[in-house]
Amino acid sequence: MKAIHEMGVAELGRALGARHVTSVEATKHLLARLAKHPQLGVLLASDAPLALAQARDADARRAAGEAGALLGVPLAHKDIFVTRVLPTTAGSKILAGYLSPFDATVVARLGDAGVVTLGKLNCDEFAMGSSNENSAYGPVHNPWDTTRVPGGSSGGSAAAVAARLMPAATGTDTGGSIRQPASFTGITGIKPTYGVCSRYGMIAFASSLDQAGPLARSAEDCALLLGAMSGFDERDSTSAPRPPQDFHAEMLAARPGAGASQPLTGLRIGLPKEFFPAALAADVNGAVRAALGEFERLGATLVDVSLPRTELSIPVYYIIAPAEASSNLSRFDGVRYGHRAARYTDLEDMYKKSRSEGFGAEAKRRIMIGTYVLSHGYYDAYYLQAQKLRRMIADDFQACFRECDVIAGPVAPTVAWKLGAKSDDPVASYLADIFTLPASLAGLPGMSLPVGFGEASMPVGLQLIGNYFREGTLLHAAHAFQLATDWHARAPAGY
Ligand code: GLN
């Protein structure tokens, strides 16, 4: 039998079902592995007795005859999901030590499925960032090269899964924070259609964009997790009122043209020319093109499409997201949550000092930008204009989906960069989000899967974008690719 940390979610679930291993054994093994790798900076909170109690409970449920792919599987949550027993910080000093009175819906649903919570994972402050360097609790290091960033904002989740410290982790994606760290660390992640996972208990950054999703080692593992995480929730007014979806069954289901000899016969993959600009790094382009060749061998056909407003998605996102953030972050006032300044003169001074001390530089920058673009006299010129363009970007996708079933391209213009390389230049970091922002603005599902290695032997991811609620199509295509290749099975040296 493989070592426990070498098993993905599906595999570990099968080993638990066959009684080859118990959840208590798996939990102990992974807690020890987490303790052995503090240098990655992934863990913000953990409670071993609690995790072991959950594991014992899962083992008892199995002994009583209960089955379930996730029953007894240990994982950890991005520290943006509130949890009742473990503290939640959202990577911010302003929430240091905060204990929520309730669990986020995603956390509760995974708990119902029997998942064991190993702890809470580092992330950029309020999920603002692309490198995990905006966390008040230190950066996360990429296990493929610890002098490089793991991507962000779900950097702790990505690094933990890539380093085989856990089979999977939850993440959130507002403008790329599941897809880009998955790409930078050689793992698989999916951001579903906006509304598929409940945002209840997910600390809000930009409410019209935020979505939860899994980071794992394969499309199959993502499908299993997404099935448990998703579904209508009356406590989130933007939750999609749809019947529960079995993403694993959808992943296995045949595409149009089934019966043909190739698994992906009939699948039309659209390549937006704007996703392959001259400035795209040659290593990324090479790995992505090679993967597209593999998709063709699997029966898919490639078609040229266009997303003409791709470049505009950067200014549009960096107006809308800060606008919503400035409003969402107003609740951190030193009264209701978290940090309050020790000394102040009056109420206004207390707000000012608490917020000045509690928020980091990027959160402050976004609060200022957001307040500016929403203020009287600028609202029409910036915010309203951005909203109109957002609609046009979404319409551009619908024009593409008349020609193709999924859209493919790179996740990011380069492989993971060196720690510190962009930390003094926020705009450089914003520009690197160019390929993930369009799907976020449109509310479409997107996933990242590893397809090779580039500069300095760093992983390269391929992005697949589907139409609304077509997660099954993405997972099916990614699963077929992963059955034919082994990029997703590669682990960084030493892990
Ligand atoms: N990098 C983007 C930002 O900084 C996206 C972050 C995210 O998806 N949470 O806003």
Side-chain angles (χ1 to χ4, degrees), residues 450-488:
V451 295
F453 295 91
E455 186 214 324
S457 304
M458 294 304 290
V460 177
L462 174 82
Q463 182 176 210
L464 296 177
I465 299 169
N467 211 342
Y468 299 110
F469 304 108
R470 292 283 186 272
E471 288 78 9
T473 307
L474 300 183
L475 292 163
H476 181 79
H479 183 56
F481 180 87
Q482 292 183 336
L483 287 176
T485 59
D486 73 347
W487 302 110
H488 63 292

Side-chain angles (χ1 to χ4, degrees), residues 225-381:
L225 289 160
L226 191 58
M229 294 166 71
S230 60
F232 175 68
D233 180 7
E234 61 182 14
R235 285 172 296 193
D236 171 5
S237 62
T238 60
S239 171
R242 291 164 58 86
Q245 259 174 289
D246 183 344
F247 293 102
H248 194 254
E250 287 182 26
M251 180 198 83
L252 295 173
R255 294 273 326 136
S261 53
Q262 312 283 78
L264 297 181
T265 299
L267 183 76
R268 297 164 305 163
I269 301 180
L271 307 180
K273 63 173 184 287
E274 297 78 6
F275 277 25
F276 297 89
L280 182 63
D283 58 339
V284 172
N285 187 41
V288 167
R289 297 276 182 192
L292 293 170
E294 182 63 35
F295 276 103
E296 279 188 298
R297 281 189 288 283
L298 292 167
T301 49
L302 306 180
V303 296
D304 292 325
V305 294
S306 176
L307 288 169
R309 276 164 277 252
T310 296
E311 270 189 28
L312 285 173
S313 64
I314 298 172
V316 168
Y317 173 89
Y318 280 100
I319 287 170
I320 292 174
E324 296 185 19
S326 71
S327 168
N328 276 323
L329 267 48
S330 67
R331 75 191 59 166
F332 302 103
D333 55 5
V335 177
R336 287 168 288 186
Y337 306 91
H339 176 77
R340 178 182 297 179
R343 306 169 72 84
Y344 47 86
T345 50
D346 55 17
L347 182 65
E348 201 175 314
D349 191 46
M350 192 275 282
Y351 289 153
K352 273 190 202 158
K353 289 212 173 90
S354 302
R355 287 168 67 84
S356 302
E357 292 168 10
F359 287 128
E362 187 62 26
K364 285 178 186 160
R365 185 177 294 123
R366 298 200 189 194
I367 290 168
M368 288 191 287
I369 294 171
T371 306
Y372 180 84
V373 300
L374 289 176
S375 56
H376 181 73
Y378 296 106
Y379 181 93
D380 289 353

Side-chain angles (χ1 to χ4, degrees), residues 4-335:
I4 287 164
H5 62 268
E6 288 168 10
M7 293 189 230
V9 173
E11 218 176 345
L12 186 54
R14 282 193 294 269
L16 288 161
R19 307 290 194 276
H20 292 151
V21 63
T22 66
S23 180
V24 168
E25 283 163 357
T27 302
K28 280 187 181 156
H29 180 85
L30 296 174
L31 285 171
R33 238 180 116 70
L34 271 163
K36 216 177 108 194
H37 292 290
Q39 80 287 358
L40 293 174
V42 299
L43 202 61
L44 293 186
S46 172
D47 182 336
L50 173 78
L52 288 167
Q54 291 175 346
R56 275 192 296 276
D57 185 49
D59 285 336
R61 282 166 69 179
R62 284 220 184 254
E66 199 177 322
L70 302 179
L71 184 53
V73 173
L75 53 71
H77 297 294
K78 181 178 184 178
D79 203 23
I80 201 102
F81 293 96
V82 300
T83 43
R84 222 153 19 84
V85 185
L86 294 164
T88 303
T89 68
S92 182
K93 218 170 92 181
I94 210 160
L95 277 175
Y98 172 70
L99 265 183
S100 164
F102 63 95
D103 280 334
T105 296
V106 162
V107 170
R109 290 200 173 158
L110 285 169
D112 291 345
V115 154
V116 171
T117 304
L118 295 170
K120 303 295 287 289
L121 297 167
N122 204 347
C123 58
D124 281 306
E125 184 172 13
F126 293 106
M128 297 170 180
S130 307
S131 67
N132 216 114
E133 290 165 295
N134 295 335
S135 167
Y137 303 97
V140 171
H141 298 263
N142 192 317
W144 293 91
D145 173 352
T146 51
T147 68
R148 289 177 189 259
V149 302
S153 62
S154 312
S157 305
V161 174
R164 275 55 184 160
L165 307 184
M166 53 193 67
T170 56
T172 61
D173 190 311
T174 302
S177 282
I178 289 174
R179 290 162 285 161
Q180 185 255 23
S183 173
F184 279 13
T185 59
I187 62 167
T188 307
I190 184 164
K191 173 203 98 79
T193 307
Y194 182 82
V196 162
C197 287
S198 168
R199 290 185 301 107
Y200 183 71
M202 223 171 86
I203 293 177
F205 159 19
S207 311
S208 76
L209 294 151
D210 299 341
Q211 256 302 290
L215 292 106
R217 285 179 219 151
S218 68
E220 176 168 34
D221 290 359
C222 283
L224 290 171
L225 289 160
L226 191 58
M229 294 166 71
S230 60
F232 175 68
D233 180 7
E234 61 182 14
R235 285 172 296 193
D236 171 5
S237 62
T238 60
S239 171
R242 291 164 58 86
Q245 259 174 289
D246 183 344
F247 293 102
H248 194 254
E250 287 182 26
M251 180 198 83
L252 295 173
R255 294 273 326 136
S261 53
Q262 312 283 78
L264 297 181
T265 299
L267 183 76
R268 297 164 305 163
I269 301 180
L271 307 180
K273 63 173 184 287
E274 297 78 6
F275 277 25
F276 297 89
L280 182 63
D283 58 339
V284 172
N285 187 41
V288 167
R289 297 276 182 192
L292 293 170
E294 182 63 35
F295 276 103
E296 279 188 298
R297 281 189 288 283
L298 292 167
T301 49
L302 306 180
V303 296
D304 292 325
V305 294
S306 176
L307 288 169
R309 276 164 277 252
T310 296
E311 270 189 28
L312 285 173
S313 64
I314 298 172
V316 168
Y317 173 89
Y318 280 100
I319 287 170
I320 292 174
E324 296 185 19
S326 71
S327 168
N328 276 323
L329 267 48
S330 67
R331 75 191 59 166
F332 302 103
D333 55 5
V335 177

